[in-house]
Amino acid sequence: DRPLALIAGPCALESRAHAMEMSHALVELTGRLGIGLIYKTSFDKANRTSADSPRGLGMEKALPILAEVRERWGCPVLTDVHSAEQCAPVAEAVDVLQIPAFLCRQTDLIVAAARTGRPVNIKKGQFLAPWDMANVVEKMDQAGNPNTLVCERGASFGYNTLVSDMRSLPIMAETGCPVVFDATHSVQQPGGQGKTSGGQRQFVAVLARAAVAVGVAAVFMETHQDPDRAPSDGPNMVHFTDLPAIVETMMAIDRIAKALPAGG
Amino acid sequence: DRPLALIAGPCALESRAHAMEMSHALVELTGRLGIGLIYKTSFDKANRTSADSPRGLGMEKALPILAEVRERWGCPVLTDVHSAEQCAPVAEAVDVLQIPAFLCRQTDLIVAAARTGRPVNIKKGQFLAPWDMANVVEKMDQAGNPNTLVCERGASFGYNTLVSDMRSLPIMAETGCPVVFDATHSVQQPGGQGKTSGGQRQFVAVLARAAVAVGVAAVFMETHQDPDRAPSDGPNMVHFTDLPAIVETMMAIDRIAKALPAGG
Amino acid sequence: DRPLALIAGPCALESRAHAMEMSHALVELTGRLGIGLIYKTSFDKANRTSADSPRGLGMEKALPILAEVRERWGCPVLTDVHSAEQCAPVAEAVDVLQIPAFLCRQTDLIVAAARTGRPVNIKKGQFLAPWDMANVVEKMDQAGNPNTLVCERGASFGYNTLVSDMRSLPIMAETGCPVVFDATHSVQQPGGQGKTSGGQRQFVAVLARAAVAVGVAAVFMETHQDPDRAPSDGPNMVHFTDLPAIVETMMAIDRIAKALPAGG
Amino acid sequence: DRPLALIAGPCALESRAHAMEMSHALVELTGRLGIGLIYKTSFDKANRTSADSPRGLGMEKALPILAEVRERWGCPVLTDVHSAEQCAPVAEAVDVLQIPAFLCRQTDLIVAAARTGRPVNIKKGQFLAPWDMANVVEKMDQAGNPNTLVCERGASFGYNTLVSDMRSLPIMAETGCPVVFDATHSVQQPGGQGKTSGGQRQFVAVLARAAVAVGVAAVFMETHQDPDRAPSDGPNMVHFTDLPAIVETMMAIDRIAKALPAGG
């Protein structure tokens, strides 16, 4: 078992300056702590609760910035795609494509992402049982791409609430794919603020601890220097100043979890 | 309150001959019973559980057939769209566009569907609270299309199971939009057969009765002359020979439900 | 299929005068409308959210009042029991015993209730699948009492929320027992007001309509002349002045639902 | 924060010989590993799925055996109570009383347990939100007993399934009471085998790891030398031979979890 990696960054690509500043800070922090980083940010928030909410920079302006992050810091970059057409151009600028949870069953999108040859991180739909991710992975395999990451981000639990079932981590691991735990969206309260989604930032570290103790390849955790003013997912992003302690805790639990016998 | 309408047809457009035969039979039946019909069928099953499952005829072959159904019987036709690009061409061939449940939050798709000027039936996501459909309707309104239908098709309830919350019907009616109850997909068991979804055909009529008694504008009910051999949604489609009794029951309950005082 | 019956009354037995007044009003109303009545009231609220909430008159003071209601109006009376010891004395004063939902798996209580020979209305636990009520009915049968009523009152759906699955009505009917739909507690929001449970009175009639259209032997509906001042379940009790319209609607739907073919 | 304790033993008290053998083995094991032990076993399974399932030895025969375990090994003993009358005699024989999850809202039972002065471990109902345990704790406090333990054992998640929400652990900790994680019943599948409950033994260690990483005072874990032949909860009890590795893992994670900063 390889040590825990971190997929982190601000939810949305706000500007070139913000992206360079955040990625620099994350590269510096993770280098100091000794944990692998994949920088995550989104160029389009394609499924906002309300049409009034900001969407993001858009693909054309964003891809050069993502490529610049990658080149400047030598750090792999991940972003999400929302249509089959986006996959090829996005794959030129970033290292890992991500399929949003609502779209995890859209066959054309999965196939287009697979055909780029890039690793693809697929979020498990809030409506999907963990064992059903095997069918999603098979779609990737049949399209000739064995590099799937499977990602837990919470399951629907009544209205406007998600619950993280830690059993899903070993169940999804049976696919043979690396398992990612998205600690940010697992504490989302979808639609919970009427025209935007709410979140429970205080439980990000709680669920991350739990997932790492069970055993995962990576934790996904959005962060921002001022989350309460962020254009999206503010309520569930971690303050950048809180990130070091959370990451150190996860690393310590990961070391012991992976050293212990699997059956224990 | 206008009398109940029926949105019905086979899940998938299997062939021209099958479409003409099924639509003829439905036009004849609903004409005899005196209930309005919208003929429903899909040209692409874009989110199958497994990549091995059949997808359908595809848009190019399907649209002329859908247009032919409309012209031959003078009957409105509904089909679902899966990407923004499909909306304009589909709107030339059919009368009502439908947004699949998984895609009900994809802003670009909603806007593209709205801009066709056609009525749009939006399935409520399995992960969405009924009050959150107000935001979806607002996306339609802002795109200049007030003709939204909102459709209940079940909410996630544990794994591989949906539950139909009858409270969602009056809650969604507060949007001012006609409310549709999808009795077919509400009894789906998503992913429940491993590589395909299961279903509980025996509960279609049960849930349809309940929804009509609460009060809806239309019931959506897929039907097939041989559902156990249908390429998709077989376990939850109604045998065509069982449809007349179910529709007559719904019509009788609808008449009394709409004649009674709203508060009662 | 026999016509719909009504199980109604105020949640709690507040005083002799209140019980006589409410029961009189209900006997008069149901006689006028032509629907069978079972008068329901509780002598002890044994599982309040908070220890500070009122409990009720207690068994000793209550039983003579319940017996008086029965004799004065010739109307069957139902009340709930909370321990095996209560069953025999309660069975002397009332016609139907009721097992609360939380207690539906307590074997000793079921057996003691069964042994009184009285019909027993068993609420399905919020944590129980409808098919699991077959095991509860079997406990009654093995204790020599075939007169079980099985009652739907909502299933846990996330936190502080219940959902009514209308499929549970035909599933529980397979036990051969009359099925009751509790429209009052199905709209309860357990613990939803911090130290008391909330409720959604506006959905009582909605869910009652749905259940009657599916087909039930009786609807359970708590009512009060001033529910917002009632000692318990106020938020989900119906105003007595609203009851006639709701009952007439249910009776009209029941007549048509039971006249229609079962398969429809 | 004190180190993790273990509440363990076979689900049911099968015989004096079995109790002495199991308790001896557990005392020996936990002494060797250096973890505090509370021996758990039940004298009555009062809420079996089916009336045909074995109930247990009964209180009268069981209490001397429980007292003997306590005296022989100097080890605290825990058992569950099902009625107010049982509390006083049980409190003479054991050190900790336990309230079953279905009964966590029965005020008389809580008060009677509280009045014994013994610590009381209260299982959170499968139907209860974690924040609602504050009301249960207040019932204990008002009855004069501040020694409540609050225990997570899963929340209803659809039918025949529970889910463990790890957020419930810090939420319940806000009561100021020690938090216990019941890893055995959290993997129960209530009623899942028709006439008995099923279970997922393979996830006991998974959920225990997660809970300990979040931070708990104790883990509750039933164990048996031959669980597949045990009279109750066999599918979710851990083989005694697997227990040492699981406990060592939990202890290692506990040490690191409690050494780390609370915010991390």
Side-chain angles (χ1 to χ4, degrees):
Chain A
D1 280 347
R2 301 180 50 195
L4 185 73
L6 182 68
I7 302 174
C11 181
L13 204 177
E14 302 178 18
S15 69
R16 181 187 167 281
H18 187 250
M20 297 314 294
E21 181 190 359
M22 288 295 301
S23 57
H24 185 203
L26 277 161
V27 164
E28 191 280 328
L29 172 67
T30 52
R32 183 163 52 79
L33 297 179
I35 185 171
L37 170 72
I38 300 175
Y39 183 73
K40 185 268 165 180
T41 196
S42 295
F43 59 80
D44 184 16
K45 307 307 298 173
N47 57 26
R48 299 303 303 251
T49 300
S50 164
D52 296 336
S53 297
R55 286 285 295 264
L57 275 194
M59 188 172 76
E60 280 175 44
K61 288 191 190 163
L63 293 187
I65 301 172
L66 295 175
E68 186 180 350
V69 167
R70 178 164 64 159
E71 283 155 40
R72 180 88 161 264
W73 317 118
C75 150
V77 172
L78 172 152
T79 199
D80 38 358
V81 287
H82 318 282
S83 69
E85 295 71 35
Q86 292 177 341
C87 293
V90 167
E92 308 238 334
V94 307
D95 305 87
V96 185
L97 272 59
Q98 180 170 284
I99 306 291
F102 292 155
L103 303 181
C104 74
R105 287 270 299 253
Q106 304 302 314
T107 306
D108 291 342
L109 178 59
I110 303 280
V111 170
R115 290 198 178 143
T116 66
R118 292 287 190 196
V120 182
N121 182 33
I122 307 184
K123 301 269 190 99
K124 177 167 67 63
Q126 301 86 340
F127 45 81
L128 208 73
W131 41 86
D132 291 330
M133 282 298 279
N135 290 307
V136 176
V137 171
E138 198 177 77
K139 289 182 185 179
M140 286 284 296
D141 286 345
Q142 290 186 7
N145 187 334
N147 295 315
T148 308
L149 295 86
V150 290
C151 180
E152 169 66 39
R153 52 88 79 232
S156 286
F157 183 60
Y159 293 135
N160 300 123
T161 311
L162 301 171
V163 69
S164 296
D165 182 354
M166 295 294 156
R167 294 171 298 192
S168 74
L169 305 174
I171 291 170
M172 293 199 299
E174 289 172 20
T175 60
C177 301
V179 176
V180 179
F181 181 72
D182 174 350
T184 296
H185 295 94
S186 293
V187 303
Q188 200 181 38
Q189 295 173 310
Q193 301 186 335
K195 303 201 70 165
T196 58
S197 290
Q200 301 177 301
R201 187 184 301 146
Q202 72 275 25
F203 294 127
V204 169
V206 168
L207 295 183
R209 278 178 174 233
V212 171
V214 172
V216 290
V219 166
F220 176 111
M221 193 177 285
E222 291 181 351
T223 183
H224 198 275
Q225 85 288 356
D226 188 4
D228 294 331
R229 298 196 188 178
S232 63
D233 272 321
N236 36 339
M237 275 198 284
V238 164
H239 280 273
F240 185 75
T241 51
D242 293 334
L243 194 63
I246 295 174
V247 173
E248 287 185 293
T249 293
M250 294 195 299
M251 291 174 71
I253 295 175
D254 179 65
R255 272 190 295 270
I256 202 148
K258 287 181 180 154
L260 289 164
Chain B
D1 279 347
R2 301 182 52 196
L4 185 72
L6 182 67
I7 303 174
C11 181
L13 205 178
E14 302 177 18
S15 69
R16 181 187 167 280
H18 188 252
M20 297 315 294
E21 181 190 0
M22 288 296 301
S23 59
H24 185 203
L26 278 162
V27 164
E28 191 281 327
L29 172 68
T30 53
R32 185 162 52 80
L33 297 178
I35 185 170
L37 170 72
I38 300 174
Y39 183 74
K40 184 269 165 178
T41 199
S42 295
F43 60 80
D44 183 17
K45 308 307 299 174
N47 58 26
R48 300 303 303 251
T49 300
S50 164
D52 297 335
S53 297
R55 285 286 295 262
L57 276 193
M59 188 171 76
E60 281 175 43
K61 287 191 191 161
L63 293 187
I65 302 171
L66 294 175
E68 186 180 350
V69 167
R70 178 163 67 160
E71 282 156 39
R72 178 91 160 260
W73 318 117
C75 151
V77 172
L78 171 152
T79 199
D80 38 357
V81 288
H82 318 281
S83 69
E85 295 71 32
Q86 293 178 338
C87 293
V90 168
E92 306 238 336
V94 306
D95 305 90
V96 184
L97 271 60
Q98 180 171 285
I99 305 291
F102 292 155
L103 304 181
C104 74
R105 289 270 299 253
Q106 302 303 314
T107 306
D108 291 342
L109 177 60
I110 303 278
V111 169
R115 289 195 179 144
T116 66
R118 293 288 189 194
V120 181
N121 182 34
I122 307 184
K123 301 268 189 97
K124 176 168 69 62
Q126 299 87 337
F127 46 81
L128 208 73
W131 42 84
D132 290 330
M133 282 298 280
N135 291 308
V136 176
V137 171
E138 198 176 80
K139 289 183 185 178
M140 285 285 296
D141 287 345
Q142 290 186 8
N145 188 334
N147 296 315
T148 307
L149 295 86
V150 290
C151 180
E152 169 66 39
R153 51 91 77 232
S156 286
F157 183 61
Y159 292 135
N160 301 122
T161 310
L162 301 171
V163 68
S164 296
D165 182 353
M166 295 294 156
R167 294 172 298 192
S168 73
L169 304 174
I171 291 170
M172 293 200 298
E174 289 172 20
T175 59
C177 301
V179 176
V180 179
F181 181 72
D182 175 350
T184 295
H185 295 94
S186 292
V187 303
Q188 200 181 37
Q189 295 173 310
Q193 302 186 334
K195 302 201 68 164
T196 59
S197 289
Q200 301 176 302
R201 187 185 301 145
Q202 71 275 25
F203 293 128
V204 169
V206 168
L207 296 183
R209 277 177 174 234
V212 171
V214 171
V216 289
V219 166
F220 177 112
M221 192 176 287
E222 292 181 349
T223 184
H224 198 276
Q225 85 288 355
D226 188 6
D228 293 331
R229 299 195 190 180
S232 62
D233 272 323
N236 37 338
M237 274 199 285
V238 163
H239 280 273
F240 186 75
T241 50
D242 293 334
L243 194 65
I246 294 174
V247 173
E248 285 185 293
T249 293
M250 293 195 300
M251 291 174 71
I253 295 174
D254 180 65
R255 273 189 296 271
I256 203 149
K258 287 180 181 156
L260 291 165
Chain C
D1 279 348
R2 301 180 52 195
L4 185 73
L6 183 68
I7 302 174
C11 182
L13 205 178
E14 301 178 18
S15 68
R16 180 186 168 281
H18 188 251
M20 297 314 294
E21 182 190 359
M22 288 296 299
S23 57
H24 185 203
L26 278 162
V27 164
E28 191 280 327
L29 171 68
T30 54
R32 184 161 53 79
L33 297 179
I35 185 170
L37 171 71
I38 299 175
Y39 184 73
K40 185 269 166 177
T41 198
S42 296
F43 59 80
D44 183 16
K45 306 309 298 174
N47 58 25
R48 301 302 303 252
T49 301
S50 163
D52 296 336
S53 297
R55 285 284 295 263
L57 275 192
M59 187 171 78
E60 279 175 45
K61 285 189 190 163
L63 293 187
I65 301 171
L66 294 176
E68 186 180 349
V69 167
R70 178 162 68 159
E71 282 157 40
R72 179 90 161 261
W73 317 117
C75 151
V77 172
L78 171 153
T79 200
D80 39 356
V81 287
H82 318 281
S83 68
E85 296 70 35
Q86 291 178 340
C87 294
V90 168
E92 307 237 334
V94 306
D95 305 88
V96 184
L97 271 60
Q98 180 172 285
I99 306 291
F102 292 153
L103 304 182
C104 74
R105 288 270 301 252
Q106 303 301 315
T107 307
D108 291 342
L109 177 60
I110 302 279
V111 169
R115 290 198 177 142
T116 65
R118 293 289 188 193
V120 181
N121 182 34
I122 307 184
K123 301 270 189 96
K124 177 167 68 63
Q126 300 88 338
F127 45 81
L128 208 73
W131 41 85
D132 291 330
M133 282 299 278
N135 290 308
V136 176
V137 172
E138 198 176 78
K139 289 182 185 180
M140 285 286 295
D141 287 345
Q142 290 185 6
N145 188 333
N147 296 313
T148 307
L149 295 86
V150 289
C151 181
E152 169 66 40
R153 52 90 77 231
S156 287
F157 183 61
Y159 292 135
N160 301 124
T161 311
L162 301 171
V163 69
S164 295
D165 182 354
M166 294 295 157
R167 294 171 298 192
S168 73
L169 304 174
I171 291 170
M172 293 200 298
E174 289 172 19
T175 60
C177 301
V179 175
V180 179
F181 181 72
D182 175 350
T184 295
H185 295 93
S186 292
V187 303
Q188 199 181 39
Q189 296 173 310
Q193 301 186 334
K195 302 202 66 164
T196 59
S197 289
Q200 300 176 302
R201 189 184 300 148
Q202 71 276 23
F203 293 128
V204 169
V206 169
L207 295 183
R209 276 176 173 234
V212 171
V214 172
V216 289
V219 166
F220 176 112
M221 193 175 286
E222 291 181 350
T223 184
H224 197 275
Q225 85 287 356
D226 189 4
D228 293 332
R229 300 198 188 177
S232 61
D233 272 322
N236 37 340
M237 275 198 284
V238 164
H239 280 275
F240 186 74
T241 50
D242 293 334
L243 194 64
I246 294 173
V247 173
E248 286 186 292
T249 294
M250 294 195 299
M251 291 174 71
I253 295 174
D254 180 65
R255 272 189 296 270
I256 202 148
K258 287 182 180 154
L260 291 165
Chain D
D1 279 348
R2 303 180 50 196
L4 185 73
L6 182 68
I7 303 175
C11 181
L13 203 177
E14 301 178 17
S15 69
R16 181 187 167 282
H18 187 252
M20 297 315 293
E21 181 190 0
M22 289 295 301
S23 58
H24 186 203
L26 278 161
V27 164
E28 191 281 328
L29 172 67
T30 54
R32 184 161 52 81
L33 297 179
I35 185 171
L37 170 72
I38 300 175
Y39 184 75
K40 185 268 166 180
T41 197
S42 295
F43 59 80
D44 184 17
K45 306 309 298 175
N47 58 26
R48 300 302 303 252
T49 300
S50 164
D52 296 335
S53 297
R55 286 284 295 264
L57 275 193
M59 188 171 78
E60 280 175 46
K61 286 191 191 160
L63 294 188
I65 301 171
L66 295 175
E68 186 180 349
V69 168
R70 177 161 68 159
E71 282 157 39
R72 180 90 159 262
W73 319 116
C75 150
V77 172
L78 171 153
T79 199
D80 38 357
V81 287
H82 318 281
S83 70
E85 296 71 34
Q86 291 177 341
C87 294
V90 168
E92 307 237 334
V94 306
D95 305 88
V96 184
L97 271 59
Q98 180 171 284
I99 306 290
F102 292 153
L103 303 181
C104 74
R105 286 271 299 255
Q106 303 302 316
T107 306
D108 290 342
L109 177 60
I110 303 279
V111 169
R115 289 195 179 144
T116 66
R118 292 287 188 195
V120 181
N121 182 33
I122 307 184
K123 301 267 189 98
K124 176 168 69 62
Q126 300 87 338
F127 45 82
L128 209 74
W131 41 85
D132 291 329
M133 282 298 280
N135 290 308
V136 175
V137 171
E138 197 176 80
K139 289 182 186 180
M140 285 285 296
D141 287 344
Q142 290 186 7
N145 187 333
N147 295 315
T148 307
L149 295 87
V150 291
C151 180
E152 169 65 39
R153 52 92 76 232
S156 286
F157 182 61
Y159 293 135
N160 301 123
T161 311
L162 301 171
V163 68
S164 296
D165 182 354
M166 294 295 156
R167 295 172 298 193
S168 73
L169 304 174
I171 292 170
M172 293 200 297
E174 290 172 20
T175 60
C177 301
V179 175
V180 179
F181 181 71
D182 175 349
T184 295
H185 294 93
S186 293
V187 301
Q188 200 181 37
Q189 295 174 310
Q193 302 185 334
K195 303 201 69 164
T196 58
S197 289
Q200 300 176 301
R201 188 184 301 146
Q202 71 275 28
F203 294 127
V204 169
V206 169
L207 296 183
R209 276 176 175 235
V212 170
V214 172
V216 289
V219 166
F220 177 111
M221 193 176 286
E222 291 180 352
T223 185
H224 198 276
Q225 86 287 356
D226 188 5
D228 293 332
R229 298 195 190 181
S232 63
D233 271 322
N236 37 338
M237 275 199 285
V238 164
H239 280 274
F240 186 74
T241 50
D242 293 334
L243 195 63
I246 295 174
V247 172
E248 286 185 292
T249 294
M250 294 196 299
M251 291 174 70
I253 295 175
D254 180 66
R255 272 190 296 271
I256 201 148
K258 287 180 179 154
L260 291 163

